[in-house]
């Protein structure tokens, strides 16, 4: 696993991670690495990259965009921890959406952690709109047996709800 923080990175193998008495590390520098077993592992592409930007705008935002772009190229799972980000602008949401699209196109997993609720809602809404636009007027068609199952399930659920409602109103 590789942790990227303000443009610097730290290679971390979960088997080597400290479990007791863990305290938050000092800010990372370019030369900081944690790799006790083998130096050749640092040359292999990382499967998971964690990014924790301090800002999505300005110079720090540009550094984050470069780090995210690099992570999308070399990792299969990218986690972006937005714990330091309080709000996002429309421009930064657009950048995150582009990264999501790039990850989806390349079969990569991109997740945003600790995003504020309003930004998460806006991002989800934009993503759904983009998907709807790309799908167009496509209608989902299921196998007839599955359609029959869904219809029967709906009828059975309504009957069960009515029976529960009647039973709850009975007085013994």
């Amino acid at each position: 696993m590789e942790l990227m923080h303000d443009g610097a990175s730290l290679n971390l193998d979960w088997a080597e991670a400290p479990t007791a008495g863990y305290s938050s590390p000092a800010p990372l520098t370019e030369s900081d690495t944690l790799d006790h077993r083998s130096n050749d592992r640092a040359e292999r592409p990382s499967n998971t990259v964690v990014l924790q930007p301090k800002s999505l705008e300005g110079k720090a935002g540009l550094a984050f965009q470069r780090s995210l772009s690099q992570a999308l190229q070399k990792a299969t799972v990218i986690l972006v921890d937005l714990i330091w980000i309080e709000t996002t602008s429309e421009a930064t949401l657009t950048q995150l959406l582009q990264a999501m699209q790039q990850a989806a196109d390349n079969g990569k997993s991109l997740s945003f952690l600790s995003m504020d609720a309003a930004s998460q809602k806006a991002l989800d809404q934009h993503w759904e709109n983009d998907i709807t636009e790309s799908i167009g007027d496509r209608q989902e068609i299921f196998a007839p047996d599955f359609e029959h199952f869904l219809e029967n399930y709906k009828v059975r659920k309504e009957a069960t709800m009515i029976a529960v409602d009647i039973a709850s109103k009975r007085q013994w």
Side-chain angles (χ1 to χ4, degrees):
M1 177 178 194
E2 185 174 337
L3 174 66
M4 299 180 97
H5 180 71
D6 291 342
S9 67
L10 174 69
N11 290 326
L12 178 66
D13 186 342
W14 285 110
E16 299 170 352
T19 56
Y22 178 75
S23 63
S24 179
L28 302 175
T29 63
E30 287 291 335
S31 63
D32 288 338
T33 62
L34 178 62
D35 192 1
H36 301 294
R37 286 191 243 160
S38 166
N39 288 335
D40 66 339
R41 195 172 57 209
E43 297 171 9
R44 291 185 297 173
S46 175
N47 287 335
T48 302
V49 174
V50 177
L51 301 173
Q52 192 178 61
K54 291 277 187 184
S55 175
L56 299 178
E57 297 175 344
K59 288 182 181 179
L62 291 174
F64 165 70
Q65 287 299 320
R66 282 191 300 275
S67 296
L68 181 57
S69 178
Q70 291 171 358
L72 286 167
Q73 291 173 3
K74 69 179 189 173
T76 55
V77 177
I78 301 96
L79 302 172
V80 179
D81 184 2
L82 299 170
I83 195 164
W84 303 112
I85 310 300
E86 291 183 22
T87 59
T88 55
S89 66
E90 192 66 31
T92 57
L93 282 179
T94 300
Q95 293 170 349
L96 297 179
L97 279 168
Q98 290 171 347
M100 289 171 63
Q101 187 61 55
Q102 183 181 351
D105 291 346
N106 294 320
K108 311 254 177 141
S109 173
L110 174 62
S111 299
F112 299 104
L113 309 173
S114 305
M115 182 180 278
D116 69 285
S119 297
Q120 184 67 53
K121 183 176 180 180
L123 186 65
D124 290 345
Q125 190 172 28
H126 284 300
W127 180 253
E128 267 190 48
N129 290 343
D130 287 353
I131 298 242
T132 303
E133 287 176 11
S134 68
I135 292 175
D137 292 332
R138 188 178 93 182
Q139 293 183 4
E140 300 294 333
I141 300 173
F142 299 105
D145 290 341
F146 186 64
E147 290 284 347
H148 182 69
F149 166 79
L150 290 175
E151 186 58 36
N152 284 341
Y153 176 77
K154 181 180 173 185
V155 170
R156 286 192 318 256
K157 183 176 179 183
E158 289 171 358
T160 302
M161 294 303 291
I162 291 171
V164 168
D165 188 43
I166 291 171
S168 67
K169 292 179 181 175
R170 274 198 178 152
Q171 294 184 10
W172 299 97

